[in-house]
């Protein structure tokens, strides 16, 4: 149980998917560019990302260890994990829509498909000498870390918009500098 908690905290705060491994940086930058996105929509995207990361990692882990490893086809995991991860997004979002009818999950499917962290976690969870508990802790922790960075980056972007930023640093350069400083 200690390994589960340490992996969860490590994936959320230290080995963050967005800051340490730049796997999920595209949805973070795309949502921060839209000034009309509300705090509720931001948290709905974070919740959807956590749920999709959990479900996709669980499905891919089970598929890898029950089908690919016994058939000695482990080298095909990328070609199997990518379609499974993409196909898991729509059912996960529809389950969240039913569980939380007040939140709007419309329009998040493209951001979830472009999130490379989902596929990256599926590949990381199949490391040798790691179990299913590690994979689940990694997926939940990475999803929570993504949610945290998404919220912090959105707040930071709102502050940057009100400041006088020099012309060469406006838009993407200041976003990347901010992400680099957050990573430190």
């Amino acid at each position: 149980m200690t390994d589960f908690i340490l992996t969860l905290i490590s994936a959320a705060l230290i080995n963050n998917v967005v800051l340490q491994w730049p796997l999920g940086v595209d949805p973070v930058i795309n949502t921060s560019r839209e000034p009309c996105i509300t705090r509720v929509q931001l948290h709905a995207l974070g919740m959807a990302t956590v749920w999709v990361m959990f479900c996709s990692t669980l499905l891919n882990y089970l598929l890898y260890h029950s089908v690919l490893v016994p058939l000695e086809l482990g080298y095909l995991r990328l070609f199997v994990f990518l379609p499974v991860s993409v196909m898991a997004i729509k059912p996960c979002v529809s389950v969240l829509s039913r569980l939380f009818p007040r939140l709007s999950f419309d329009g998040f499917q493209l951001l979830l498909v472009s999130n490379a962290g989902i596929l990256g976690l599926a590949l990381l969870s199949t490391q040798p000498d790691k179990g299913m508990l590690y994979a689940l802790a990694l997926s939940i922790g990475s999803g929570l870390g993504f949610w945290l960075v998404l919220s912090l980056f959105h707040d930071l972007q709102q502050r940057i918009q009100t400041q006088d930023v020099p012309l060469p640093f406006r838009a993407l350069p200041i976003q990347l500098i901010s992400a680099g400083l957050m990573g430190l």
Side-chain angles (χ1 to χ4, degrees), residues 85-166:
S85 298
V86 170
M87 289 188 305
I89 291 172
K90 178 104 174 137
C92 288
V93 170
S94 64
V95 165
L96 283 175
S97 297
R98 288 189 189 120
L99 289 175
F100 303 102
R102 292 183 183 170
L103 295 176
S104 174
F105 294 98
D106 299 332
F108 291 152
Q109 292 181 0
L110 184 61
L111 287 173
L112 291 171
V113 167
S114 67
N115 192 345
I118 296 170
L119 179 63
L121 283 177
L123 292 170
L124 286 171
S125 68
T126 59
Q127 292 177 357
D129 299 332
K130 304 291 183 181
M132 181 182 260
L133 197 61
Y134 170 79
L136 296 180
L138 184 68
S139 66
I140 294 170
S142 296
L144 291 174
F146 176 83
W147 193 353
L148 176 69
V149 169
L150 186 67
S151 298
L152 292 174
F153 204 76
H154 185 72
D155 291 343
L156 182 67
Q157 193 60 32
Q158 287 180 343
R159 286 187 180 189
I160 288 173
Q161 289 175 355
T162 62
Q163 301 299 318
D164 186 26
V165 178

Side-chain angles (χ1 to χ4, degrees), residues 34-61:
E34 297 178 22
C36 61
I37 192 165
T38 64
R39 178 62 96 188
V40 174
Q41 290 174 324
L42 194 73
H43 289 306
L45 177 61
M47 189 183 307
T49 304
V50 172
W51 182 245
V52 169
M53 282 184 176
F54 175 76
C55 292
S56 175
T57 302
L58 181 65
L59 285 172
N60 286 321
Y61 183 87

Side-chain angles (χ1 to χ4, degrees), residues 69-92:
V69 170
L71 294 175
E72 297 178 3
L73 297 173
Y75 54 89
L76 293 176
R77 65 183 176 179
L78 178 65
F79 298 109
V80 174
F81 289 178
L82 182 61
V84 169
S85 298
V86 170
M87 289 188 305
I89 291 172
K90 178 104 174 137
C92 288

Side-chain angles (χ1 to χ4, degrees), residues 15-27:
N15 296 325
N16 194 292
V17 174
V18 178
L19 300 176
Q20 182 69 24
W21 310 317
L23 292 175
V25 75
D26 186 44

